[in-house]
Amino acid sequence: MAGLSSFFRTILVRGPWLALLLCCTLLLAVPALAQDDDPTPKQQLAQIDSTLKDVERKRVDAEATETLGTLSENASQAKRDAEALEKTLQPQLDQLNEQLTQLGDAPKDTTEPPELAAQRRTLTRQRDALVASIAQARSSAVRAQQLSADIDKQRNAQRTEELGQKVASPLSPALWTKVAERLPIDIARVAPLAQMGRDALVAGIRTHGWGTLLLGVVAALVMMFPLRLWLRALGRRFAASERAPDGRLRRSGLAMWLLLVGTLLPGYAVVVLMAALDAIDAIAPRLQVVAEGLETATFRAAFIAALSACMLVPRRPSWRLLNLDDTAALKLRKYAWGAAALAWLSTVLLAVDQATRTSDVTTVALDGLIALTYLGLIMAMLVTLARLHRRQTAEAEAKLEAQADGQGAAVPVRRSSWLVLARVAGNIAVVAAIIATLMGYVNFAKFVNQQLIGGSIVVLAATLLFKFVDDFSTWLLNADSKVGQTILLSTGLSVSRLEQAGVLLSAVLRTFVVLIALLALAAPFGNVGSVVERVASLANGISIGDITLKPARIAIALLVMVVGLGLTQLLQRWLTDTYLPKTELDLGARNSISTITRYVGIILVGLWALTAMGLNLKNLALLVSALSVGIGFGLQAIIQNFVSGLILLTERPVKIGDWVKLGDQEGDIKRINVRSTEIQVSDKSTLIVPNSELITKTIRNMTMGNNQGRIQIQFAVPASTDVASLRQALLDAYGAHNTVLQQPAPSVYIDSIAGGQITINSFAYVASPRQVYGTRSDLYFSLLQILAERNIPLSTPTDIHITRDPQQ
């Protein structure tokens, strides 16, 4: 039972996801682990100091660059722990100082109560202890930073020395003669190590029994084969079903699922097996390096194999994420398996070499063989890519010829630019590696080959993540998805705004993918922890004068902007749709109130966001005053229109619904914005007028104060006309029209009598100036009908034309 408990404890330490998988697979309960109390600041400082001393001690004997990298990571972690401890203690120190300030200094002439004196002494002791702890934490952080920098320098120097180290060429017979001499001795060193492993296994089984080991073996086999294959098939069935999301997310999501399943299950299967062996003490101390190497090698090989499987998909071209044909996909899949096997073998051999401490000659020969194997694998891949490029070029030329002959439709020719880049980079790396190997720079050749394959793997993984985050973002914030429909119904956003949010989310996630890929590419060249630390230092903020902009505060400010603008929109909608229609205000007054409310809300939200960002309003006032001169000259017209808009909304010389005449244009006011006013003219087009034009120039408001329109009809009749009957006929025609108002009543006047003509002038009123034109046309028709019935001709001025006889 002790071995079984240790087995599960080891699993929990090495991988939480592994414990979850085991619980789902074997339905075993994991015992809860007791949690210790939080350590005190003294204990944390002691732990940090112990870590730094351990790093300094191991640094002296460290020979491998990987060991130095681990030590540098430990020093960086100690620095982060010290800085975190300082940040934790600083608020406590500020609180104690505030309490001591409230107590004040001890009185000199009088005796203070014993309770106050005891409280002051207690607070003073606590403050002094915190000051000492903070000072020690700062000193430890500086010490850790210097130690990490020194280790990085040592690591870079050692790596440069290793890459520049020249040994015998792999083609040299002298090298293989020495290898033949040293190989039996190195094999003899491996035999005791194997015997040590067998003895530890037998002793562990004798002490703890077969139960824990068999459980680990069964769990590893279940995870490696049945569970992995079942999860792969489950993902494919779900992606092909109707429950899967529509669009490209089916393909990229299935690829991500296959990558996770193909990487985690084989890797954690080995972790489970090693945990079972470690639980019964079946791993000898010298074999711990080999056990860790097996775990690392399995994760690397599984990741390479799973990535190639989900990207190439040899037997399912429609699910393939790369622009490859079936022939190239099949061949590259085989080469990917070779790369995975080579990565596994090289990692395990390196671990065995470290455990057995073989001779330098054997190590050089082994590195040379690995380098040559990498070279052969890369050259085979380049040949496949070259053939693929030739096939694609031939297909493109055939399509272009068919289009030129008119035999085929105009189809865009797709060419893979990444194939050209991959071939160029691969050829350069292969030539450099071959020359370095022949000259004896085996370490450099091995490093170049490993970085070429590793960089290709990182680029392919980043490509997969790029496609997945883009497909996921556009699917998540899409009008057809459930999440998108919920957002549209709850917020009232438009479909275009929702799609824009999806594009922005995709851009943010892609940026994180790029950062992760750059860190992965830079990992072999330095301490990743230091790079992450430099990036994380941006979280402390960027100082601009007396202002410090922190990413967290900027994020809070953006959140405040989103929430504040949402609340402002809800308030404006409530005013427009619910409250203002219940009042006696006209449409123009309602628009003015809702518009002013919106802009006041935007200003308040802006000030709230600036305050949340940490900006002092006094500094903001100074900044605005400093920019006022530039704003006054550069944005004079905009500021003038803005102020004019506020005047229009408050004084309301014109309002929505008014019929105005501005110059030779006239129409109805449809909308009053802060910068401009929209006027719809008679041809249904919209005239956009700056607000300053409505304030500084003379306009005619046809509906201000009095909404009635007046119709004037003027004509001349002969002097012999019975004007009394004509007057009554006109009044009857005006009264018979349904749009003519009875009050004010229509009126008919004699304007003048001259030249044998009587000029009649008549007036009528309608409810709106917009009815004048149509009503006046109807009255003209009635007038002509009345004159025709009474045989009254319309008099026109007599034109006298004097002509001369051409014969005279």
Side-chain angles (χ1 to χ4, degrees):
M1 293 300 294
L4 187 61
S5 178
S6 176
F7 167 61
F8 283 113
R9 189 178 298 109
T10 306
I11 290 174
L12 285 174
V13 171
R14 295 194 180 188
W17 287 102
L18 176 59
L20 181 59
L21 289 173
L22 285 178
C23 290
C24 296
T25 307
L26 305 177
L27 299 178
L28 296 176
V30 179
L33 300 178
Q35 297 180 353
D36 298 332
D37 296 335
D38 294 334
T40 62
K42 292 184 178 180
Q43 294 175 348
Q44 295 181 18
L45 291 172
Q47 180 64 32
I48 293 172
D49 184 69
S50 175
T51 301
L52 294 178
K53 289 181 179 179
D54 184 66
V55 170
E56 290 175 348
R57 183 178 64 256
K58 292 181 178 180
R59 173 193 172 190
V60 179
D61 299 330
E63 297 180 358
T65 55
E66 292 81 6
T67 305
L68 291 175
T70 303
L71 295 178
S72 179
E73 293 286 351
N74 294 337
S76 300
Q77 184 62 41
K79 175 179 177 294
R80 290 191 289 269
D81 293 340
E83 291 177 346
L85 179 60
E86 179 186 354
K87 291 181 180 179
T88 303
L89 297 179
Q90 187 61 44
Q92 301 178 17
L93 179 61
D94 296 338
Q95 185 178 3
L96 289 176
N97 289 330
E98 184 178 358
Q99 293 178 1
L100 288 173
T101 302
Q102 293 177 356
L103 289 177
D105 298 333
K108 298 180 180 179
D109 299 334
T110 60
T111 303
E112 66 176 346
E115 295 82 3
L116 292 179
Q119 185 179 4
R120 183 180 288 105
R121 287 193 299 269
T122 302
L123 293 177
T124 303
R125 285 195 302 269
Q126 294 177 358
R127 182 191 62 182
D128 295 341
L130 285 177
V131 170
S133 299
I134 291 175
Q136 186 177 355
R138 291 176 181 173
S139 176
S140 298
V142 174
R143 176 186 169 192
Q145 184 177 5
Q146 294 175 353
L147 182 59
S148 178
D150 294 340
I151 294 176
D152 288 339
K153 292 180 181 179
Q154 180 181 353
R155 185 187 181 194
N156 293 332
Q158 187 170 346
R159 182 187 295 107
T160 304
E161 182 181 356
E162 290 179 354
L163 294 178
Q165 183 180 4
K166 185 177 181 180
V167 296
S169 174
L171 303 179
S172 173
L175 173 64
W176 298 108
T177 302
K178 293 181 180 180
V179 171
E181 295 176 356
R182 297 294 304 177
L183 187 60
I185 301 175
D186 292 332
I187 294 176
R189 290 182 179 180
V190 176
L193 195 65
Q195 184 63 36
M196 188 183 304
R198 286 194 296 269
D199 296 340
L201 178 61
V202 172
I205 294 174
R206 186 184 303 114
T207 304
H208 300 281
W210 286 91
T212 303
L213 181 60
L214 290 178
L215 179 62
V217 172
V218 171
L221 292 176
V222 169
M223 293 174 63
M224 180 67 76
F225 296 106
L227 182 61
R228 180 174 63 89
L229 297 178
W230 178 74
L231 290 177
R232 286 168 58 90
L234 179 64
R236 290 194 179 97
R237 286 197 302 269
F238 179 79
S241 66
E242 297 180 354
R243 295 179 299 169
D246 297 332
R248 300 175 301 176
L249 186 59
R250 287 173 177 258
R251 187 173 61 175
S252 58
L254 176 61
M256 285 295 300
W257 174 257
L258 295 178
L259 178 62
L260 292 176
V261 171
T263 302
L264 296 180
L265 289 178
Y268 277 126
V270 177
V271 172
V272 167
L273 184 59
M274 294 299 107
L277 292 173
D278 192 30
I280 63 175
D281 298 329
I283 301 178
R286 288 186 60 183
L287 290 177
Q288 290 289 342
V289 177
V290 179
E292 294 176 359
L294 283 172
E295 295 176 359
T296 304
T298 305
F299 273 109
R300 289 179 180 176
F303 181 78
I304 296 173
L307 181 63
S308 63
C310 65
M311 294 292 287
L312 298 176
V313 196
R315 295 179 178 82
R316 293 179 176 86
S318 59
W319 294 89
R320 191 173 301 149
L321 296 177
L322 298 178
N323 185 20
L324 301 173
D325 54 20
D326 294 341
T327 304
L330 287 171
K331 290 186 177 181
L332 290 177
R333 181 78 172 101
K334 297 178 182 179
Y335 298 147
W337 276 103
L342 186 58
W344 187 90
L345 183 61
S346 60
T347 305
V348 173
L349 290 179
L350 178 62
V352 173
D353 183 69
Q354 292 178 358
T356 56
R357 300 181 180 92
T358 57
S359 61
D360 296 337
V361 176
T362 304
T363 303
V364 170
L366 181 62
D367 291 340
L369 288 175
I370 293 175
L372 291 176
T373 308
Y374 273 120
L375 276 176
L377 186 63
I378 294 173
M379 292 175 66
M381 291 181 179
L382 290 176
V383 170
T384 301
L385 292 178
R387 292 176 179 174
L388 174 63
H389 186 259
R390 286 195 295 269
R391 287 197 300 270
Q392 289 184 347
T393 303
E395 292 176 359
E397 292 177 354
K399 289 181 180 180
L400 291 176
E401 292 178 358
Q403 294 175 11
D405 297 338
Q407 298 177 0
V411 179
V413 179
R414 295 181 60 188
R415 297 181 180 179
S416 298
S417 59
W418 68 271
L419 288 178
V420 180
L421 296 177
R423 289 180 58 197
V424 172
N427 289 326
I428 294 175
V430 166
V431 171
I434 291 175
I435 295 175
T437 303
L438 296 177
M439 294 180 62
Y441 296 99
V442 178
N443 290 333
F444 178 76
K446 180 182 176 183
F447 179 79
V448 170
N449 294 330
Q450 289 178 346
Q451 297 315 308
L452 180 61
I453 293 181
S456 302
I457 293 172
V458 171
V459 171
L460 288 177
T463 303
L464 175 58
L465 285 176
F466 252 60
K467 294 180 179 295
F468 175 72
V469 299
D470 182 58
D471 297 343
F472 177 76
S473 302
T474 53
W475 168 81
L476 183 67
L477 299 179
N478 190 284
D480 297 332
S481 65
K482 294 183 179 179
V483 178
Q485 293 176 359
T486 303
I487 294 176
L488 290 177
L489 293 176
S490 59
T491 61
L493 292 176
S494 60
V495 176
S496 60
R497 293 288 180 87
L498 184 65
E499 294 177 351
Q500 291 174 12
V503 174
L504 292 177
L505 179 60
S506 173
V508 172
L509 294 179
R510 285 188 172 194
T511 303
F512 281 108
V513 172
V514 171
L515 293 177
I516 294 173
L518 292 178
L519 290 177
L521 292 174
F525 301 94
N527 185 6
V528 180
S530 61
V531 179
V532 175
E533 185 177 354
R534 294 189 185 98
V535 175
S537 63
L538 297 176
N540 297 327
I542 301 175
S543 298
I544 304 177
D546 297 334
I547 301 173
T548 302
L549 298 179
K550 295 184 178 181
R553 291 185 176 180
I554 294 176
I556 293 175
L558 292 177
L559 181 61
V560 166
M561 287 286 293
V562 172
V563 174
L565 292 178
L567 293 176
T568 302
Q569 186 176 5
L570 290 176
L571 177 60
Q572 185 186 16
R573 187 181 303 174
W574 176 78
L575 287 174
T576 304
D577 300 338
T578 305
Y579 176 72
L580 291 178
K582 301 298 189 297
T583 62
E584 298 179 355
L585 299 175
D586 55 11
L587 183 61
R590 299 176 196 172
N591 177 76
S592 299
I593 293 175
S594 62
T595 304
I596 292 176
T597 302
R598 176 176 174 234
Y599 285 103
V600 169
I602 291 175
I603 294 173
L604 294 178
V605 169
L607 295 176
W608 185 17
L610 292 176
T611 305
M613 195 182 297
L615 297 179
N616 193 348
L617 295 181
K618 295 181 179 179
N619 297 332
L620 181 63
L622 294 176
L623 179 63
V624 171
S625 62
L627 295 177
S628 59
V629 178
I631 292 175
F633 286 100
L635 304 177
Q636 183 177 4
I638 297 177
I639 298 299
Q640 182 181 8
N641 290 323
F642 180 80
V643 175
S644 301
L646 295 179
I647 294 175
L648 289 177
L649 292 173
T650 53
E651 290 189 0
R652 301 175 63 214
V654 294
K655 59 183 181 297
I656 293 179
D658 284 353
W659 185 23
V660 297
K661 187 173 184 180
L662 182 65
D664 58 347
Q665 298 288 340
E666 60 180 278
D668 296 323
I669 294 180
K670 292 298 182 182
R671 187 174 182 181
I672 300 177
N673 299 316
V674 176
R675 192 196 64 84
S676 61
T677 298
E678 298 177 4
I679 300 176
Q680 186 177 7
V681 295
S682 57
D683 59 355
K684 301 302 180 181
S685 62
T686 301
L687 183 67
I688 300 176
V689 181
N691 289 331
S692 59
E693 296 288 326
L694 302 178
I695 295 297
T696 59
K697 292 186 177 181
T698 302
I699 63 172
R700 183 179 180 184
N701 193 337
M702 308 293 291
T703 57
M704 183 177 180
N706 184 11
N707 294 329
Q708 296 178 356
R710 191 185 71 165
I711 299 174
Q712 180 181 8
I713 296 179
Q714 190 174 15
F715 59 95
V717 295
S720 60
T721 303
D722 186 359
V723 292
S725 60
L726 179 60
R727 176 176 180 273
Q728 186 61 40
L730 287 177
L731 292 175
D732 294 339
Y734 288 160
H737 201 282
N738 56 357
T739 59
V740 176
L741 299 178
Q742 300 299 322
Q743 292 293 332
S747 56
V748 179
Y749 301 98
I750 295 178
D751 189 68
S752 64
I753 301 175
Q757 297 178 354
I758 301 175
T759 302
I760 305 296
N761 197 1
S762 60
F763 300 94
Y765 295 90
V766 291
S768 172
R770 299 174 182 83
Q771 299 176 354
V772 170
Y773 189 82
T775 305
R776 182 171 54 192
S777 175
D778 295 339
L779 294 177
Y780 273 135
F781 280 108
S782 301
L783 172 64
L784 293 176
Q785 185 178 359
I786 292 172
L787 296 178
E789 291 175 354
R790 288 169 171 74
N791 295 323
I792 301 176
L794 291 174
S795 298
T796 57
T798 303
D799 294 336
I800 300 175
H801 298 276
I802 300 175
T803 59
R804 184 182 298 276
D805 188 0
Q807 295 180 358
Q808 295 178 359

